Amino acid sequence: MHPNQSEFFHSINQFTRHFSKVLNESLVPLGLYAAQWTIIYRLKIGGPSTQKEISSYLGVEAPTMTRTLARLEKSGWITRTAGKDKREKLISLTDAAIREYDNWLASVRLSESNVLQNITEEEISTMIRLMAKMRENMVPGT
């Protein structure tokens, strides 16, 4: 066991919660929550996906994903269409979401920039590598 192991993971958890709050403060006035943003971002970058693919990518349980997708659909940000497998719907961004995307992205980037004040590129690169190694330990192949 590493001497600072408990503090390390407590810090990650605490940061994640605080950052979600910061994102919500910037996104809610634009009609979106941080949890929804992660799905919107994934669909914009990765293209149409199944619920299972999104859940797996984000590490979110199926019931939570179902509720979040239902809210996104009700808000008019996503649509579901039949995929190759008729039982599994393909989730895509709507034209309305694509039109709003740049506004959401600008708000997220501003929040990120505020959080990254006084952080060097080297520190960011180190953290990206560290997180990738830990993710690989949890979910091999990611």
Side-chain angles (χ1 to χ4, degrees), residues 60-126:
V60 175
E61 299 294 326
T64 302
M65 183 59 63
T66 298
R67 284 191 302 274
T68 305
L69 290 173
R71 287 186 195 112
L72 282 169
E73 191 170 30
K74 187 176 179 188
S75 297
W77 305 132
I78 63 162
T79 186
R80 302 175 204 228
T81 55
K84 293 177 215 159
D85 179 347
K86 300 288 186 239
R87 294 169 292 158
E88 184 92 68
K89 301 274 188 203
L90 208 53
I91 300 162
S92 306
L93 294 177
T94 62
D95 289 343
I98 291 167
R99 283 192 301 275
E100 283 299 314
Y101 183 83
D102 286 341
N103 293 330
W104 294 327
L105 182 62
S107 181
V108 169
R109 292 295 176 253
L110 181 59
S111 295
E112 291 171 346
S113 294
N114 290 336
V115 171
L116 290 174
Q117 286 181 49
N118 306 316
I119 309 292
T120 67
E121 284 301 318
E122 184 181 352
E123 289 171 320
I124 292 170
S125 295
T126 299

Side-chain angles (χ1 to χ4, degrees):
M1 182 168 125
H2 295 284
N4 295 328
Q5 184 171 318
S6 294
E7 184 180 346
F8 177 73
F9 284 103
H10 177 74
S11 294
I12 290 172
N13 191 32
Q14 195 175 22
F15 171 81
T16 302
R17 291 182 184 277
H18 283 286
F19 187 62
S20 288
K21 187 178 177 201
V22 165
L23 278 185
N24 278 332
E25 288 169 359
S26 68
L27 286 172
V28 166
L30 303 177
L32 206 63
Y33 287 94
Q36 296 170 322
W37 165 251
T38 61
I39 294 168
I40 298 279
Y41 181 79
R42 167 66 165 81
L43 291 171
K44 180 75 165 114
I45 301 305
S49 304
T50 65
Q51 179 172 330
K52 192 175 195 175
E53 289 168 340
I54 298 168
S55 291
S56 175
Y57 175 80
L58 296 174
V60 175
E61 299 294 326
T64 302
M65 183 59 63
T66 298
R67 284 191 302 274
T68 305
L69 290 173
R71 287 186 195 112
L72 282 169
E73 191 170 30
K74 187 176 179 188
S75 297
W77 305 132
I78 63 162
T79 186
R80 302 175 204 228
T81 55
K84 293 177 215 159
D85 179 347
K86 300 288 186 239
R87 294 169 292 158
E88 184 92 68
K89 301 274 188 203
L90 208 53
I91 300 162
S92 306
L93 294 177
T94 62
D95 289 343
I98 291 167
R99 283 192 301 275
E100 283 299 314
Y101 183 83
D102 286 341
N103 293 330
W104 294 327
L105 182 62
S107 181
V108 169
R109 292 295 176 253
L110 181 59
S111 295
E112 291 171 346
S113 294
N114 290 336
V115 171
L116 290 174
Q117 286 181 49
N118 306 316
I119 309 292
T120 67
E121 284 301 318
E122 184 181 352
E123 289 171 320
I124 292 170
S125 295
T126 299
M127 189 66 172
I128 290 169
R129 285 192 305 276
L130 177 61
M131 298 305 274
K133 286 169 96 172
M134 292 189 310
R135 188 174 55 247
E136 179 65 28
N137 290 339
M138 288 187 294
V139 187
T142 60

